[in-house]
Each structure stands twice: as C-alpha cells, then as structure tokens.
Amino acid sequence: MSHIAVLRKEISELIAAGEVIERPSSVVKELVENAIDANARHITVEIKRDGVAYMRIVDDGCGMAPDEVETAFLCHATSKITEKEDLNQIFTLGFRGEALASVAAVSKVTVLTKRKGDTYGTSFFIEGSVPGKPEQTGCPDGTTLIIRDLFYNVPVRQKFMKRDVTEANAVSQIVQKIALPHLEIAFRMIRDNRTEFHTDGSGDLYAAIYAVCGKEFAHDLIPVDYSDGVYRVRGFAGKPLYSRANRAFQNFFVNGRYVCSRQCSVALENAYQNLIMVGKFPTCVLMLDVPPPQVDVNIHPTKAEVRFS
C-alpha cells in the first residue's frame, strides 16, 4: 500500500485549475467577470481559432497596483471578500480568488495593467504558475490579459477539446450571456480578426438582445416587468408561436449572473402550458433580482448554478 503524502504544489495547482478551467470559454468567463468587478465600461474579447493558442481580454477598469499584480495570481487571493459574513452578501461575480491562479497554472499569461492616475503601468508574465518579475511599462488604463498555449502542460486535456469552431462558438456564447445583463458596459467580441458582435453600453436591454442574439430572436419577444417589492422579474419572453426545439434560448440571470437553473426553466414552461406544442420550449431573457441572502452562488466551482432558499 502506498504511503499518504501531501501533493506537490505544482500537482495540486493543476488539479485545482481543472475544477475551474475546462476549456477556453471557462477562461474567458472568469476573466471577463473580473473585468466587470473592476468597474470596466468597455470590454473586448479576442480569440484566434479555438482560443487555445491565443486569447486576449482588454478592459478599462480600475487596474492593479504594481505591488499587487504578482499577488493576484496566488490561490485564494481576492479583493472581493474579507470576512465569512461576506459570503451572505455577494454582489460581485467573482469572489473565490481562483480564476487567475487557475488560468496561470495551465497556460502562459501576460498581463499589462495600470491604475487611473498612475504614470506607468506594470507588465507581468507567468507560465505554469511560475512567475516572472513585474516590470514597469507604458500601457492604457485598465488591464489587458493575453493567454497563450492553454493546457500546454496538461496534454490530456487538449485531447478532450472539441473542433475549433465548437470551442470558438462556446467562447462567443459565454460572452453573449455575460453581456446581456450588463447593459452599462460596451462589449466587443473579435473572432479571427473579425468583430462578431458589439453592444453599445447604452443601458437598453432590447438593443443588447438585438446586437447579441440577432434580429430574428429580438423580433419575437414580449416585454416582462413584475415586482412585489422584494423580488423583481424583468426582461423579455418569447411569443408562444416561436418556441424552439431545445432550451438553448432560455437565458436566466440572477442578480446579474448568468445561471443554469432547472427551477427557472420549470417555472417558465409552466406558464406556457397549453400554449405551445409538446416537445417545444419557450424562449426568454429574464433578469431576476433576489435579495443576496436568499440565493447561494457558492455551490459550483464555476458559479454556473445557484440554489434558492
């Protein structure tokens, strides 16, 4: 029988990264959420081919202080929470402090970051959790992250990547779902040097749906807005005539966070009973505002699911 021993740091980091980073879209999700938490007003996501070789996320948020850049890539380093009570009042999209550490464990990452008011920014490179030395550099306000060679040190994960177009579509879809509830932010998605979609950050939900989901989807929507003083549901629901063959066009957002929720889907479909054909599913873009203590966002490593009280 083998002896029990503590895993080496480099192995434990790869295992932890595997819980958060499954594919290129996982990287984009985590880093774009960080940009939103940094109060960015313009976010650009660029990928080439499937994103494994090259991803770039640019934001004009608050940036990082020179002496905090290296710390940001340590496990459980975060500016979002400090006390256990904070877990009951989570208003940010990220909070575990795992995203940057997980990405850096399985890729080669270059960071350019600068705070508003600072004369110079900071350049930092980290490869497979092995950090370089932060250097002073010129760069715009905000943060730019360039991720190259995803899973270069975990070849078995590369074997599970799907076709280039499938992985690229997954990246595009996750940016779409993040863009819809954040109407005050202008998003741009660039794929192989071509802008795939662009939201204007005007605050108009219908305009964002039109830009992200297309004219056909936006044309078949009915506005929804209900509040009982504590909970609020707002957005758009699809007309019964234009139901779809699957649930891919059901978009639920809880407190600004895109979630996969069986409860929400069942509630939506119950409302359409006797209005649509059997085997068809209604469409929607619905924002649920729920008091934070009544929803648990800490039940899934990628924060893709929530539990309601």
Side-chain angles (χ1 to χ4, degrees):
M1 181 178 177
S2 300
H3 295 289
I4 297 174
V6 177
L7 287 173
R8 297 197 305 277
K9 180 174 178 288
E10 60 269 25
I11 299 177
S12 63
E13 286 177 343
L14 289 176
I15 294 172
E19 296 179 352
V20 179
I21 306 304
E22 299 174 346
R23 56 199 303 199
S25 59
S26 305
V27 175
V28 170
K29 176 182 183 294
E30 297 292 340
L31 299 185
V32 170
E33 287 180 348
N34 276 355
I36 293 170
D37 289 339
N39 298 317
R41 286 297 172 264
H42 297 82
I43 298 175
T44 297
V45 176
E46 179 183 4
I47 64 170
K48 294 182 179 177
R49 293 184 59 187
D50 58 356
V52 171
Y54 181 88
M55 288 178 278
R56 182 173 67 100
I57 295 90
V58 182
D59 71 67
D60 60 352
C62 63
M64 290 181 277
D67 59 349
E68 293 180 348
V69 175
E70 190 170 355
T71 303
F73 285 86
L74 300 177
C75 289
H76 310 303
T78 180
S79 61
K80 319 291 176 61
I81 62 174
T82 55
E83 304 293 339
K84 63 180 182 180
E85 290 77 12
D86 295 338
L87 291 173
N88 297 323
Q89 295 285 341
I90 293 175
F91 293 96
T92 56
L93 295 178
F95 56 90
R96 291 190 176 121
E98 295 177 342
L100 290 177
S102 295
V103 173
V106 292
S107 66
K108 303 170 184 177
V109 182
T110 301
V111 184
L112 299 171
T113 184
K114 177 178 172 292
R115 297 180 300 178
K116 295 178 176 64
D118 285 357
T119 304
Y120 296 100
T122 303
S123 173
F124 179 65
F125 179 77
I126 180 169
E127 175 181 342
S129 295
V130 179
K133 183 179 179 181
E135 298 179 354
Q136 190 179 87
T137 189
C139 62
D141 294 343
T143 301
T144 297
L145 286 130
I146 300 172
I147 296 90
R148 293 185 174 90
D149 301 333
L150 185 65
F151 301 132
Y152 78 98
N153 54 351
V154 195
V156 68
R157 297 298 293 273
Q158 294 182 350
K159 296 179 182 179
F160 287 91
M161 293 294 101
K162 296 181 172 63
R163 294 184 307 156
D164 288 0
V165 65
T166 303
E167 293 296 343
N169 286 343
V171 172
S172 181
Q173 288 167 11
I174 201 67
V175 178
Q176 291 175 12
K177 295 189 185 301
I178 295 175
L180 285 175
H182 297 95
L183 307 175
E184 74 286 358
I185 302 174
F187 286 85
R188 184 181 297 276
M189 175 70 207
I190 302 174
R191 181 168 164 179
D192 293 325
N193 301 317
R194 179 180 64 86
T195 296
E196 193 162 80
F197 66 84
H198 176 219
T199 65
D200 59 10
S202 64
D204 185 337
L205 177 57
Y206 187 81
I209 294 174
Y210 192 101
V212 168
C213 301
K215 176 182 177 180
E216 181 181 352
F217 181 83
H219 181 264
D220 303 326
L221 298 177
I222 303 168
V224 174
D225 197 344
Y226 170 80
S227 174
D228 65 359
V230 178
Y231 307 96
R232 186 183 180 193
V233 181
R234 54 196 169 86
F236 293 88
K239 296 177 183 177
L241 182 62
Y242 299 100
S243 55
R244 302 299 177 100
N246 54 52
R247 296 186 175 93
F249 292 88
Q250 294 182 1
N251 301 280
F252 298 103
F253 305 89
V254 177
N255 296 345
R257 184 192 305 275
Y258 172 74
V259 299
C260 300
S261 172
R262 176 65 180 165
Q263 287 175 286
C264 292
S265 291
V266 169
L268 177 73
E269 290 159 20
N270 284 343
Y272 281 79
Q273 279 188 344
N274 303 321
L275 294 176
I276 60 177
M277 295 174 58
V278 175
K280 294 288 187 176
F281 300 91
T283 63
C284 71
V285 177
L286 292 176
M287 314 291 174
L288 286 73
D289 297 328
V290 181
Q294 297 188 22
V295 57
D296 186 359
V297 300
N298 196 27
I299 65 170
H300 193 276
T302 63
K303 305 180 289 293
E305 301 174 10
V306 296
R307 180 185 292 121
F308 299 99
S309 65

